[in-house]
Structure formats: structure tokens, C-alpha cells
């Protein structure tokens, strides 16, 4: 490493894509750029009423080109010439239907406006019926094909989404050849791939969402899927048998993309992975420390020496896969379907009257109304936080259940609903907000409890992401509820930095991801420690939270019945 080397990490989030150009010797961020998906910002191809959330591949492609070119422009020609690698992380499971060349159907004539031909975003829950069928179907086989994904298959994942799209759309059903994760498609795109069977699939996505396992020799057999629904017959042959860790190269930058980005074809493109997995690396995850990426949802990653946990199967999480986070270690994933999204829901609820009244106003211009709305919108969460932080803590405070977008873990159930309990005439907005924050912290504690109960001890907490960096109030409550310290990583872009670390490893600058983490990691800049008095009160309230959750869960109809009701309501 005598010569300066640079790498680029690309982080695809729910709302935007961000690229960072990083000095591979010390992790210094040389340039960064962010691009908000324009079609997504306009709400295109989404229908929240039926939990449909789709994203157009053009949003991803345009964002990729814009952000990398902007980083290269800011860094200058000398730095650009020294870029050695690019790696990518994405949300997941976010798959798409492709043809034999690996081209998403939405990029082909006749499919450009078809949501079923686009990427099915992680938070899309249109396939809850299919997930329920997979869970019931799996009980019929001697081999437990769900054993490495916590024993419960989720509607947020690969096979449920594929089956739903095949059933719903004859046009897509006739044109589809294969089904591809976002994190696998972007490296394929950058390397100029034109044969989907040559695509290098990530072990991260394959193991945690697609039921791939080395013990199965790859994916479950065709019989498993064909007997579930004949529409799935033969699909395993058009998917993959091998999966790769993200320290491996997917190939080199194609001439087309080298010309578009102003880079060399010698640039190595790494195998992709999910954002939280690379984020854990960027946040310098340690064995048995739960790395919590806290944004719209949470993804909780834990790594442990494989030999110490390979015979332990943690029930109700999002899977445990060797090498999915750090090669040579077991990666275990959990998380919450709504975290920051819960706070955003409450903010939007409070803003609704203002939005309606401003839109109807005859006394101010549209520009003034928009500016006023945005000003107030930006201030609501900070003011709620300030007021909620001043409230006393009592066992009798209002409660909330955090399943506003279903429950990811422990024990996935995407038809569950959130709740607010114990309200009275004195329950103002700060008190309700406090209850919502507390609920998300209680949901996080249930994940820690599950790991501990199943013999994988959580010895520490690492906070990553926007919420962790921006809200001391929420992080202090998290420490109090968990009754253990939580360290906050210094980097605001741990997912992109993690991708850069993997790019440096795939490009051969480092021989191990751990070496890249040590050299390029930025360390921690804050820590929150539990207050013993508040922790004792939260411990009692946590028991009530669990009891309320169990009662609410009994009231929710089965997935298949609920889906039918939702679809009928949407038609009406």
C-alpha cells in the first residue's frame, strides 16, 4: 500500500442512493454524493393501502451514474485514476423479474409502467399470503428448509415475492426467466453482464432470504417449490447453485460503464450484499455485539465465530449464514419492520390538518404554503423529542405496540398491526410520541432477549444510522430499556463505508475484511449508559408491553383472511 489507493462504496437506501469515494489507506472520505429517486419521491408504482412498494430500475441506474460521477468530479482526475474497486450494498430482500440477459423487465418494451416488472422493495408486504403458504408447506417435508431463516418465512423475502408476482401478472409470468436481488444486479450491471446464469449471487442475500444453504447443496430442491405451486416448477434451475461472500470480486468495470463514470476498466467490482450487513462492517462490528442499523426500519447484525454457534439455531430471526457479514464468521440477522417509519407516521398524522388547510387557503400562494408546510414539518420531530424528554417516567404511562409495518423479528408476522393503549384526555402529542419511541425500544429488547434465550449472548450494542446519530433522546431510552450501554459509531455513512471496505478487500488492497475494518474504521464518538432508576421502571413496563402485545396478536386474523380483506377493500 505504498501507492495511494481509493475505493468507492455505493449504498442504496429506501429513498436514495449515496456513493462515497474513500482513501483505502485510512478510510478518509474524499468525496460523497447522494441522489434521491425521482419516481419514488413522486410515489409512483406504490399503493400503501395494499402495502405495495415498487421501485423502477431507472431510479437505481440514474442514481448510480450521478453519484459516482459526482464523486469523481469532486475528487479530481488524479484520485479517479487511483480508484481500485467499487462495492455496492442495497436494501433487501428487493428482487426483480429479469430476462435471460439479466435485464429487468421494466427496462423492456411494454413493461416500463408495470409495477410487477420492477423491483419489489423490502417493505412491500403484498405477499403475506404466499409467505403463510410457504410456512405451512415447509412442515410437510422431512428436511426443515426454514431452519436457517429462524423457522418462519417472511413476506419481505425472495420466494414469497416471486410467487405473488407470478400469480398476479400473466404478462410478467410469460416474460420472466429469472428472479434477481438488487444487490446482485448492480454488480452484474457494472461488469457488463449479459447472461443471468453467470451472475455471482451474494451469500448474504441467498442465505438470509432465498433459503440457500450449504447443507442443502444450494437451494431447496425443485420438488419443494413445484409442490407448493406449479408456477414455481423449474425456477431453481434458472437461479443459482453457488453463492459468494462479498470479499470476492464479481468482475471488472465494463468499458461502457468505465466511459460513463470516468474510471478505468481495471476497477474491480465486488460481490454485493445487503445494506445492514455491509453497515455492520463499516460500523466495526465485534463478535457478540449487536450492530443496530437504525433508520426507517432496523436491521440488527451479530457475528460470532462459526465453531461456537454452528449448532445453535436461533428461532424467529432473519437467518444465520456463514460468511454473510464477515467471511469465516457466522452472520445472524434480526430487525424491526418499522422504526423511524413509526415516528414519520406520527409526524404525518399531526401534519394532515395543516396540509389540508394550506391546500385550501385562498389567502397565500402555493409557494408560500409549501414553504410554510416544509418549515413546520422539519420542526415537528425535534420539538416532540424536546418535550417528550422532559416528561416524567411512570409505570402508568401510555403504551404503544410497534408493529406499524408488521413484525420482522422475533417471529415474523407482517399482518400484525401497531397499537396505542392507555390514552386519556390528558394524552397530548409528546406523551404519545414518547410511547411510540418506547415501543420501538421495547421491540429492540425482544430481539436481544431472543438471542440470549437461544444461547447466543449479546455482550454489547453498537448504534448506526440516522436515528442513532441524530437522537440522543431515543438512544438514551434504548440504553435504559436494554439496561446496557450502546456505542454510537462516528461515521454517518457506515453502510457506504462498509461497502468501501469490501471494495478494498475485493480489489486485493487488504487480504481480509477485518484488516480493512481496522485500517479504514472511524471509531466511535458517543456512548449512552443506562440510568439504574429508569431501567428498573422500564423493566416493569416491558413486562406490560409483552402482555399487551400477546393480547393484540390474538385479535389479528390469520394472514390469508387478512389479505383477502385488504384486497377486497382495495377493489372497492
Amino acid at each position: 500500500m505504498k501507492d495511494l489507493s481509493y475505493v468507492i462504496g455505493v449504498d442504496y437506501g429506501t429513498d436514495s442512493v449515496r456513493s462515497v469515494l474513500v482513501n483505502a489507506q485510512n478510510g478518509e472520505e474524499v468525496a460523497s454524493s447522494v441522489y434521491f429517486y425521482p419516481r419514488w419521491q413522486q410515489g409512483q408504482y406504490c399503493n400503501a393501502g395494499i402495502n405495495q412498494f415498487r421501485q423502477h430500475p431507472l431510479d437505481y441506474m440514474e442514481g448510480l451514474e450521478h453519484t459516482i460521477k459526482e464523486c469523481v468530479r469532486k475528487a479530481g482526475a488524479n484520485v479517479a485514476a487511483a480508484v481500485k474497486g467499487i462495492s455496492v450494498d442495497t436494501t433487501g430482500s428487493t428482487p426483480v423479474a429479469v430476462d435471460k440477459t439479466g435485464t429487468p423487465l421494466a427496462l423492456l418494451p411494454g413493461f416500463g409502467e408495470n409495477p410487477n416488472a420492477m423491483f419489489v422493495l423490502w417493505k412491500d408486504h403484498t405477499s403475506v399470503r404466499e409467505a403463510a403458504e410457504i410456512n405451512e408447506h415447509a412442515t410437510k417435508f422431512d428436511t426443515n428448509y426454514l431452519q436457517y431463516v429462524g423457522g418462519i418465512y417472511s413476506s419481505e423475502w425472495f420466494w414469497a415475492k416471486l410467487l405473488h408476482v407470478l400469480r398476479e401478472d400473466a404478462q410478467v409470468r410469460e416474460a420472466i426467466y429469472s428472479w434477481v436481488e438488487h444487490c446482485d444486479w448492480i454488480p452484474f450491471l457494472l461488469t457488463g453482464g449479459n447472461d443471468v446464469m453467470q451472475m455471482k449471487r451474494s451469500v448474504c442475500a441467498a442465505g438470509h432470504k432465498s433459503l440457500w444453504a450449504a447443507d442443502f447443496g444450494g437451494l431447496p430442491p425443485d420438488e419443494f417449490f413445484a409442490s407448493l405451486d406449479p408456477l414455481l416448477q423449474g425456477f431453481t434451475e434458472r437461479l443459482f447453485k453457488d453463492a459468494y461472500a462479498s470479499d470476492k470480486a464479481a468482475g471488472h468495470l465494463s468499458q461502457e460503464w468505465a466511459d460513463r463514470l470516468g474510471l478505468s476498466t481495471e476497477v474491480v467490482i465486488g460481490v454485493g450484499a445487503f445494506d445492514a450487513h455491509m453497515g455492520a462492517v463499516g460500523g466495526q462490528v465485534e463478535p457478540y455485539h449487536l450492530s443496530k442499523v437504525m433508520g426507517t426500519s432496523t436491521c440488527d447484525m451479530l457475528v460470532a465465530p462459526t465453531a461456537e454457534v454452528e449448532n445453535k439455531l436461533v428461532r424467529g430471526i432473519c437467518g444465520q449464514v456463514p460468511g454473510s457479514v464477515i467471511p469465516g464468521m457466522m452472520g445472524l440477522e434480526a430487525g424491526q419492520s418499522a422504526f423511524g417509519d413509526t415516528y414519520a407516521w406520527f409526524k404525518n398524522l399531526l401534519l394532515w390538518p395543516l396540509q389540508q388547510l394550506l391546500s385550501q387557503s385562498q389567502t397565500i400562494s402555493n409557494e408560500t404554503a409549501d414553504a410554510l408546510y416544509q418549515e413546520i414539518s422539519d420542526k415537528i420531530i425535534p420539538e416532540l423529542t424536546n418535550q417528550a424528554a422532559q416528561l416524567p417516567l411512570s409505570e402508568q404511562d401510555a403504551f404503544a405496540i410497534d408493529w406499524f409495518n408488521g413484525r420482522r423479528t422475533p417471529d415474523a408476522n407482517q399482518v400484525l398491526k401497531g397499537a396505542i393503549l392507555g390514552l386519556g384526555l390528558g394524552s397530548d402529542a409528546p406523551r404519545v410520541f414518547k410511547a411510540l419511541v418506547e415501543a420501538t425500544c421495547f421491540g429492540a429488547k425482544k430481539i436481544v432477549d431472543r438471542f440470549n434465550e437461544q444461547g447466543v449472548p449479546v455482550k454489547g450494542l453498537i448504534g448506526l444510522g440516522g436515528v442513532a446519530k441524530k437522537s440522543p433522546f431515543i438512544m438514551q431510552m434504548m440504553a435504559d430499556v436494554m439496561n446496557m450501554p450502546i456505542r454510537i459509531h462516528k461515521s454517518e455513512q457506515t453502510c457506504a463505508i462498509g461497502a468501501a471496505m469490501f471494495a478494498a478487500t475485493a480489489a486485493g488492497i487488504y487480504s481480509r475484511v477485518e484488516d480493512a475494518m481496522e485500517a479504514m474504521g472511524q471509531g466511535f464518538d458517543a456512548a449512552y449508559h443506562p440510568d439504574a432508576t429508569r431501567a428498573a421502571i422500564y423493566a416493569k413496563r416491558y413486562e406490560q408491553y409483552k402482555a399487551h402485545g400477546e393480547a393484540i396478536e390474538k385479535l389479528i386474523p390469520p394472514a390469508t383472511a387478512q389479505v383477502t380483506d385488504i384486497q377486497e377493500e382495495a377493489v372497492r
Side-chain angles (χ1 to χ4, degrees):
M1 286 190 53
K2 294 181 179 179
D3 297 328
L4 283 179
S5 302
Y6 297 89
V7 289
I8 295 174
V10 183
D11 169 38
Y12 279 93
T14 300
D15 301 318
S16 63
V17 56
R18 180 181 299 272
S19 293
V20 293
L21 195 156
V22 176
N23 184 325
Q25 289 180 296
N26 56 21
E28 177 189 0
E29 184 179 302
V30 177
S32 67
S33 176
V34 63
Y35 178 89
F36 289 90
Y37 313 131
R39 297 163 188 82
W40 173 258
Q41 293 292 107
Q42 295 166 14
Q44 295 184 33
Y45 318 118
C46 298
N47 183 345
I50 57 172
N51 294 311
Q52 174 182 299
F53 298 97
R54 310 293 167 87
Q55 292 185 328
H56 203 291
L58 287 177
D59 274 352
Y60 297 159
M61 296 173 68
E62 292 163 4
L64 180 70
E65 182 171 1
H66 174 89
T67 56
I68 293 182
K69 286 175 67 174
E70 182 72 2
C71 285
V72 168
R73 184 191 66 77
K74 290 178 180 178
N78 290 337
V79 171
V83 170
K84 305 299 183 184
I86 299 174
S87 283
V88 175
D89 70 71
T90 74
T91 65
S93 178
T94 301
V96 68
V98 300
D99 65 7
K100 287 185 178 181
T101 70
T103 302
L105 298 188
L107 298 177
L108 300 179
F111 290 94
E113 299 298 317
N114 184 344
N116 291 318
M118 300 173 189
F119 284 89
V120 185
L121 189 64
W122 64 269
K123 66 190 288 183
D124 186 296
H125 293 163
T126 52
S127 59
V128 289
R129 178 191 294 274
E130 286 76 14
E133 292 177 10
I134 291 172
N135 286 314
E136 192 278 331
H137 184 67
T139 65
K140 302 174 182 178
F141 291 79
D142 292 336
T143 299
N144 180 5
Y145 292 113
L146 306 186
Q147 61 185 294
Y148 297 116
V149 294
I152 303 174
Y153 204 77
S154 170
S155 66
E156 293 185 351
W157 298 349
F158 188 90
W159 287 102
K161 289 178 173 178
L162 171 59
L163 181 55
H164 178 76
V165 167
L166 291 176
R167 286 174 171 176
E168 185 173 77
D169 197 310
Q171 183 188 23
V172 170
R173 188 165 64 243
E174 293 173 3
I176 187 174
Y177 182 79
S178 192
W179 190 240
V180 172
E181 284 284 0
H182 185 193
C183 70
D184 295 330
W185 181 67
I186 296 294
F188 181 78
L189 176 73
L190 287 172
T191 56
N194 56 18
D195 178 357
V196 71
M197 299 308 296
Q198 300 302 312
M199 180 182 294
K200 284 192 174 180
R201 309 281 190 136
S202 161
V203 71
C204 162
H208 286 278
K209 314 300 180 187
S210 305
L211 300 179
W212 182 95
D215 287 358
F216 306 153
L219 297 167
D222 181 67
E223 176 194 1
F224 176 81
F225 300 106
S227 59
L228 170 64
D229 192 309
L231 291 176
L232 293 175
Q233 187 167 3
F235 248 95
T236 55
E237 297 178 4
R238 291 180 270 159
L239 291 172
F240 54 95
K241 293 183 179 179
D242 300 318
Y244 301 85
S246 294
D247 62 337
K248 299 295 187 289
H252 287 83
L253 191 63
S254 70
Q255 186 66 60
E256 176 190 354
W257 277 93
D259 293 341
R260 290 170 73 166
L261 300 177
L263 296 172
S264 165
T265 56
E266 295 300 310
V267 172
V268 172
I269 307 300
V271 171
F274 290 150
D275 46 8
H277 295 243
M278 286 191 171
V281 169
Q284 295 171 276
V285 66
E286 302 171 25
Y288 297 108
H289 282 62
L290 195 64
S291 174
K292 297 181 61 61
V293 181
M294 290 175 273
T296 55
S297 66
T298 73
C299 283
D300 298 352
M301 305 306 307
L302 186 145
V303 297
T306 303
E308 295 180 11
V309 297
E310 62 182 349
N311 294 321
K312 298 175 182 178
L313 293 174
V314 180
R315 179 173 52 84
I317 64 170
C318 300
Q320 50 196 83
V321 180
S324 66
V325 181
I326 297 177
M329 302 192 79
M330 185 73 75
L332 299 94
E333 177 188 346
Q336 295 163 267
S337 291
F339 197 81
D341 265 355
T342 301
Y343 317 143
W345 164 80
F346 188 55
K347 180 185 79 170
N348 292 335
L349 187 72
L350 298 179
L351 279 170
W352 184 87
L354 176 66
Q355 184 181 42
Q356 297 301 310
L357 292 172
L358 286 175
S359 68
Q360 298 168 17
S361 175
Q362 303 295 318
T363 60
I364 58 176
S365 67
N366 291 337
E367 292 78 8
T368 301
D370 290 344
L372 179 61
Y373 177 84
Q374 191 60 52
E375 179 184 357
I376 294 174
S377 176
D378 291 343
K379 293 178 178 179
I380 282 185
I381 295 296
E383 185 60 24
L384 284 170
T385 298
N386 179 53
Q387 295 297 324
Q390 299 176 43
L391 294 172
L393 177 60
S394 166
E395 288 184 47
Q396 286 71 47
D397 289 344
F399 275 95
I401 305 298
D402 56 313
W403 302 330
F404 284 83
N405 196 24
R407 183 177 64 205
R408 180 176 292 165
T409 61
D411 305 320
N413 187 339
Q414 301 301 345
V415 302
L416 293 178
K417 302 297 181 183
I420 305 173
L421 307 97
L423 298 183
L425 295 179
S427 302
D428 56 17
R431 285 174 169 80
V432 174
F433 179 71
K434 177 172 168 288
L436 292 171
V437 172
E438 187 184 69
T440 57
C441 292
F442 284 154
K445 180 170 172 53
K446 288 207 72 174
I447 292 170
V448 170
D449 286 355
R450 179 58 60 87
F451 277 117
N452 288 331
E453 292 162 1
Q454 301 283 305
V456 181
V458 176
K459 299 179 180 179
L461 301 172
I462 296 174
L464 314 171
V467 177
K469 295 292 293 182
K470 296 175 183 177
S471 182
F473 168 67
I474 297 174
M475 291 303 96
Q476 183 59 55
M477 188 183 293
M478 183 73 73
D480 292 339
V481 167
M482 295 283 199
N483 199 19
M484 61 192 308
I486 179 168
R487 291 179 294 158
I488 309 303
H489 199 269
K490 183 181 297 184
S491 174
E492 295 188 3
Q493 305 300 333
T494 50
C495 294
I497 294 296
M501 291 175 179
F502 274 107
T505 310
I509 299 171
Y510 297 101
S511 59
R512 301 186 314 146
V513 174
E514 293 94 322
D515 297 333
M517 289 171 60
E518 183 176 356
M520 300 171 66
Q522 299 178 15
F524 302 85
D525 63 358
Y528 297 89
H529 298 272
D531 176 275
T533 300
R534 297 176 70 85
I537 297 174
Y538 280 127
K540 295 178 181 178
R541 286 181 59 76
Y542 178 59
E543 294 303 315
Q544 297 179 62
Y545 162 86
K546 291 192 291 183
H548 288 313
E550 290 171 2
I552 289 171
E553 191 165 0
K554 292 177 182 177
L555 300 175
I556 302 297
T560 51
Q562 179 131 347
V563 171
T564 299
D565 292 343
I566 292 172
Q567 291 173 338
E568 289 177 353
E569 179 64 27
V571 171
R572 289 196 294 269

